[in-house]
Amino acid sequence: MCYTQFLDADGTASGELPDFARDAQELRAMYRLMVTTRLLDRRAVSLQRTGQLGTYASGLGQEAIGTAAGFALRDEDILIPAYRDYAAQFKRGVPLQNVLLYWAGDERGMAYEREPARHDFPLSVPIATQVPHAIGVAYAIRLRRQPRVVLACCGDGATSKGDFYEAISCAKVWDLPIVFLVSNNQWAISMPVARQTGAQTLAQKAIAGGMPGEQVDGNDVLATRHVLARAIARARDGGGPSLVEALTYRLHDHTTADDARRYRAEDEVQAAWARCPIKRYKAWLEAQGHWDAAAEGALAAEAAAEVEAAARAYLGQPADPPEAIFDSLYAELPRALRWQREQVRARGPLGDGH
Amino acid sequence: MPDLTLIEAVNLAMHSEMARDGDVVVLGEDIGRNGGVFRATVGLLDKFGPERVIDTPLAETLVAAMAIGLSTQGLRPVAEIQFSGFLYPCVDQVVNHAARYRNRTRGRMSCPLVIRAPNGGGIHAPEHHSESLETTFAHMPGLRVVAPSTPARAYGLLLAAIRDPDPVVFLEPTRCYRLFKQPVEDDGEALPLDACFVDREGGDLTLVSWGAMMHDTRQAADRLAEEGIAAEVIDVATLKPLDMDTILASVAKTGRCVIVQEAARAGGWASEISANLAEHGLLSLFAPVMRVSGYDTVMPLARLERAYLPDVERILAEVRKVFEIAPKS
């Protein structure tokens, strides 16, 4: 199984780097996105710990994959995310505060207004069920002869589910322009990959679907962007679907409601921190002369301000009026439901605490 | 105006709407070259080509999920599930995604799709081919559930379902696919959704049903007419959202109501209608609302399915109970 890595855990490069690695501005933009995503993640956890956010699924340690995906996609492409692909969503115009809004329990967190996020799917909580939507989306693209690609994201646990198999089994039949991106963070809550499947890799599941599959170091943002961009270009050029397994590690608990110490050893987590995607990328950028302490200081301040503004925007946004639960249910509220809406409206705003 | 069977009317509606609207596509197992296991899609492949008439792999979750994906891109997919028992793998997709995308994105996305399936028994089919699933979907917010009972209504309601901006589960009465013919005009006119049809008017009793059971219910009304009892017959047609106004108006007139459903009894849609009558129509009632239904058993295989299925005699038996309690004055 093909495995691509350019940057090792220390940020030492090997192999022939892709063209985009010569564009310093672009490289810095990728770094900024990774750092901002991590800061927002930390803020989300602290908001949850202080009772100001609901259960939150952290993407800690997986920032490189989302960043790579965000930079590999074109605006006209369509992202179908799972629920830790925040960096890709941010790149495509989802405001930071939308993630906070969503995990606070507010549907408006998924009402993306800016293109291209506006035509993307919202994150998906049920496991793998969003993956086969890509078949219909890509079929529509083909029907309309559009040069667009669908990136369908899921995690390692999702590859155990029928929805995943039903999608990868038929994508090649129609040679659909889809890239299946499996973020293998090694843990599906308490279940390690070795207990999900007897397959040696998740990428090899592509073979059953008759499409190419490959692995990439998902903590190496250069390699991941390169591999995804290549797969996306192939799909766009009529070469059909493929599957990319990005190897990473879930550094946080599954969610803030989880305690991973119950099922995994702390030394494993410590060892994974040594492979942190941000640390290695920063070391490489510095070695290339693209980054320095002054730039780091400036970014830290900018990102902190941006995250703080997002947190303030979220905290300052009151909940919708209660009757909003009816207002997007159907294109037009059916007559039979109008009395229910009126009952909710007449009871007035909800009190504090709920 | 040609006389058509219900399955021919379904076929005609898809022909008509695919010709009118280039965004309509049909998909499902064996629906292309084979024309569908019940022949609902015969002729579509030749007329509209394999891009719009999509033979899918044998994967019902995929069929529903693919319809969702297509619909989010502005197409109007009409997906066929071959038999009602094979709808269950679609429930996750339909309930967790199709019914929710509009709401969870606050209107940014929508799923204007139709999932068609035969519903109910009575054709001596193999196991898992005869279930009645309307309540499984009707309970779920964000969906429309439609169950036509005649060829003309199948035509007009399917057009309406395809044009509806929200997901519709369209459950066709398997037993009535070829049971009788009716004149159906291919005029492209949709019938209203979210509304019951008053099949015939009467002042003594309200009979409420939908789908295949409408056939038996109409026959029961004929028998009652011979006995001098004028039954008002209501075809619910759209189960969700439920048009209680029409049913309540009828019961306000008749004071007696019997609801007929083929599905198992407990928690069926007859129970929902009955509960609404208890809440909003109690003071018009002369007698309890009675339900005629399947039993709370697994759907029997062919040899015993007649023991399960409501029929004219069972409907009349419940009607007689009502008139024993509240005789016609």
Side-chain angles (χ1 to χ4, degrees), chain A residues 118 120 129 133 139 144 330, chain B residues 51 73 93 97 108 143:
Chain A
R118 189 179 162 74
D120 287 343
T129 54
H133 298 172
Y139 195 97
R144 292 174 167 151
Y330 296 88
Chain B
E51 281 201 320
Q73 304 307 303
Q93 287 292 335
H97 291 300
R108 182 171 67 84
L143 297 175

Side-chain angles (χ1 to χ4, degrees), chain A residues 169-286:
Chain A
S169 177
C170 78
K172 180 68 185 170
V173 171
W174 291 304
D175 258 330
L176 295 175
I178 304 173
V179 176
F180 298 98
L181 170 58
V182 179
S183 292
N184 178 357
N185 70 12
Q186 312 300 327
W187 290 91
I189 305 189
S190 68
M191 285 295 275
V193 173
R195 289 169 66 197
Q196 288 287 341
T197 176
Q200 288 171 304
T201 71
L202 303 180
Q204 75 197 56
K205 297 192 178 195
I207 297 168
M211 71 177 103
E214 61 182 306
Q215 288 185 306
V216 64
D217 183 342
N219 286 3
D220 172 356
V221 72
L222 295 182
T224 306
R225 175 172 166 181
H226 172 65
V227 166
L228 284 174
R230 189 172 57 191
I232 288 168
R234 180 173 49 219
R236 197 184 314 281
D237 295 341
S242 59
L243 191 155
V244 175
E245 176 190 3
L247 294 157
T248 184
Y249 192 87
R250 194 193 79 207
L251 290 171
H252 200 266
D253 300 324
H254 164 64
T255 65
T256 50
D258 177 43
D259 178 2
R261 291 171 302 183
R262 294 172 59 84
Y263 52 78
R264 71 179 182 186
E266 194 53 32
D267 55 355
E268 181 187 300
V269 181
Q270 287 312 312
W273 270 104
R275 301 191 298 275
C276 166
I278 295 182
K279 185 183 69 123
R280 83 172 68 170
Y281 187 47
K282 182 186 173 199
W284 179 77
L285 284 175
E286 286 173 342

Side-chain angles (χ1 to χ4, degrees), chain B residues 31-94:
Chain B
I31 61 105
R33 193 171 300 277
N34 192 38
V37 291
F38 283 102
R39 306 291 178 257
T41 53
V42 161
L44 294 175
L45 178 66
D46 288 341
K47 192 157 178 192
F48 301 104
E51 281 201 320
R52 291 178 65 199
V53 181
I54 310 163
D55 268 321
T56 66
L58 208 170
E60 286 84 9
T61 297
L62 174 76
V63 172
M66 184 171 176
I68 290 169
L70 290 163
S71 68
T72 61
Q73 304 307 303
L75 293 171
R76 298 271 170 165
V78 182
E80 174 175 300
I81 297 297
Q82 290 185 335
F83 299 101
S84 56
F86 305 156
L87 273 168
Y88 289 109
C90 303
V91 172
D92 187 10
Q93 287 292 335
V94 171

